[in-house]
Amino acid sequence: MLKKILIANRGEIALRIIRTSKEMGIKTVAVYSTADKESLHVRFADEAVCIGPPQSALSYLSISNIMAAAEITDADAIHPGYGFLAENASFAEICNDYKIKFIGPTAEMINKMGDKITAKNTMIKAGVPVIPGSDGLIEDIASGKKIAKKIGYPVILKATAGGGGKGMRIVWSEDAFDANWDSARQEAKAAFSNDGIYIEKFIEEPRHIEVQIAGDQYGKVCHLSERDCSVQRRHQKLVEEAPSPFLDDKMRKKIGNAAIKAAKAINYESVGTVEFLVDKHKQFYFMEMNTRIQVEHTVTEEVMDFDLVKEQIKIAAGVPITGKSYFPNGHAMECRINAEDPYNNFRPSPGKITALHTPKGFGVRVDTHIFANYTVPPYYDSMLAKVIVRAPTRQETIERMKRALDEFIIEGIKTTIPFHQALMKNQQFIDGDFNTGFINDFEF
Ligand code: MV4
């Protein structure tokens, strides 16, 4: 088993990893920027190393500073958490060169899923359904238009280096093609230094349903059912739940098996997530694969009664998995509480938390790094806490979530708690009748 893990992250996920490591008898090393000196991950880890000033680029994204911290503390593994370097293939490669186990997939696996056209071609070969579209990169405007006409409008232009919505443009008709082509290419070039674009049929009002998978070093892969993440705003997830209210057991089995096929196609090692778009006819299509532990892994943990970070560490240490797939028990839901003002276009609201009470009680879990008198720094992601509740049914889960949100007191800064309270009372949400476009129309 691993002896000492350096956690190349901050906030709630750093705490999450420390907790499981402790339970496994593994020592932990925290790294922190000067802005996070007083953070809980620094206090709860066995050792802590300062890796630079507040700006992420000079601290949590500084590979050389993090490798130096791993060397001086003699860590034998690095857990990247999510965000920052979690899907950085060269970081995984450098860890490998230093004989430090990167707790995640290999650089090659990250690259295969990081380039979207490569990922899509791999899925076609593996027999996983993909969205109809161009056969790889589009060479020029003229061939792009020809393909769009063949597919039929509306189409969507996507950056091969993209993900999360950057460099993406919906084109409703041929006369709008040129302008969208230019702006998609420019945005992709600026964001990824790669202006490669491909085309797909635009699926209207899809649901975002993702399957949690785990694969070991010996080629075994299992799924741990799905999460519905359709409630998003500007590609930021707000609420996630498991199981999806949209799927029955038959379809759950189908999408789970497709996810296993997807992971096996790249010999995937570690925990990961295969994202699907699901249209109103319940056709599902591979969208992308996240090669990391995700924010919303907690809802799967609750319905599966299974520690995903523990599994991820065991896989990294070379422990084989059973290869059996599992189905959910009851229902779980997560609300992401951000330091943002929901009445003001979700504007960031950093600052000092002057009073705090977190929800507690049966079926309630709060994963957070905040405490009373903590100052939320302006430099990082605005997520403060995840409220995760579980109950036997979706209806009871929503009632429990309402109760938990009512108990959550955060004073001194604005948070998204009022937004979630309103959402839990929305009839469409209660009925499970929503898709990725829902929040755009949600009157709040
Ligand atoms: C799509 C789509 C409709 N049709 N592709 C958004 C992020 C990126 N990962 C892919 N995305 C989408 N791709 C086709 N062919 C709609 C979206 C999309 C979306 C997907 C999941 C969750 C929220 C979304 C919000 C807007 C658009």
Side-chain angles (χ1 to χ4, degrees), residues 107-118:
E108 191 195 350
M109 297 168 195
I110 297 173
N111 279 329
K112 276 191 177 154
M113 286 301 176
D115 183 84
K116 305 305 168 196
I117 290 177
T118 306

Side-chain angles (χ1 to χ4, degrees), residues 123-150:
M123 292 309 127
I124 293 168
K125 249 192 236 153
V128 178
V130 301
I131 303 165
S134 62
D135 192 17
L137 276 179
I138 303 298
E139 299 289 344
D140 51 52
I141 287 204
S143 56
K145 277 186 182 164
K146 214 167 131 188
I147 291 159
K149 200 168 204 164
K150 207 169 123 200

Side-chain angles (χ1 to χ4, degrees), residues 137-265:
L137 276 179
I138 303 298
E139 299 289 344
D140 51 52
I141 287 204
S143 56
K145 277 186 182 164
K146 214 167 131 188
I147 291 159
K149 200 168 204 164
K150 207 169 123 200
I151 301 168
Y153 287 92
V155 298
I156 185 166
L157 309 179
K158 291 185 175 182
T160 188
K166 271 235 176 81
M168 223 174 71
R169 292 289 183 281
I170 303 165
V171 191
W172 291 95
S173 63
E174 190 171 290
D175 27 293
F177 193 94
D178 295 23
N180 280 300
W181 170 263
D182 290 338
S183 69
R185 291 208 1 151
Q186 273 166 30
E187 192 173 308
K189 187 159 198 174
F192 317 113
S193 319
N194 175 350
D195 62 2
I197 301 284
Y198 64 107
I199 300 185
E200 283 179 351
K201 177 80 191 165
F202 177 61
I203 312 284
E204 292 182 59
E205 305 192 332
R207 293 182 77 121
H208 172 131
I209 297 177
E210 55 183 38
V211 179
Q212 177 70 55
I213 61 96
D216 68 15
Q217 295 180 10
Y218 315 99
K220 276 215 173 109
V221 179
C222 68
H223 76 76
L224 296 111
S225 95
E226 83 287 359
R227 297 181 284 262
D228 196 313
C229 307
S230 300
V231 180
Q232 310 197 359
R233 183 183 174 274
R234 299 190 178 167
H235 305 296
Q236 293 294 319
K237 292 169 186 163
L238 299 167
V239 177
E240 305 96 348
E241 62 184 295
S244 168
F246 197 60
L247 300 190
D248 55 25
D249 272 343
K250 194 176 153 207
M251 186 153 167
R252 178 159 296 116
K253 224 171 233 169
K254 265 172 79 175
I255 206 168
N257 285 332
I260 290 176
K261 243 196 227 175
K264 278 192 173 164

Side-chain angles (χ1 to χ4, degrees), residues 57-117:
L58 303 175
S59 51
Y60 297 106
L61 289 172
S62 168
I63 294 177
S64 54
N65 294 8
I66 291 165
M67 295 316 293
E71 287 277 283
I72 59 170
T73 55
D74 202 24
D76 56 2
I78 294 182
H79 196 308
Y82 53 68
F84 295 124
L85 297 169
E87 290 175 286
N88 185 310
S90 25
F91 182 54
E93 189 68 55
I94 290 165
C95 289
N96 198 48
D97 294 344
Y98 274 68
K99 305 273 181 281
I100 290 173
K101 179 66 190 172
F102 177 79
I103 302 177
T106 63
E108 191 195 350
M109 297 168 195
I110 297 173
N111 279 329
K112 276 191 177 154
M113 286 301 176
D115 183 84
K116 305 305 168 196
I117 290 177

Side-chain angles (χ1 to χ4, degrees), residues 11 20 58 69 89 91 103 148 183 197 219 286 302 346 365 367 404 408 425 428:
T20 285
L58 303 175
F91 182 54
I103 302 177
S183 69
I197 301 284
F286 171 85
E302 293 303 315
F346 291 79
R365 164 178 175 185
D367 277 21
F408 210 158
K425 292 177 188 148
Q428 248 184 291

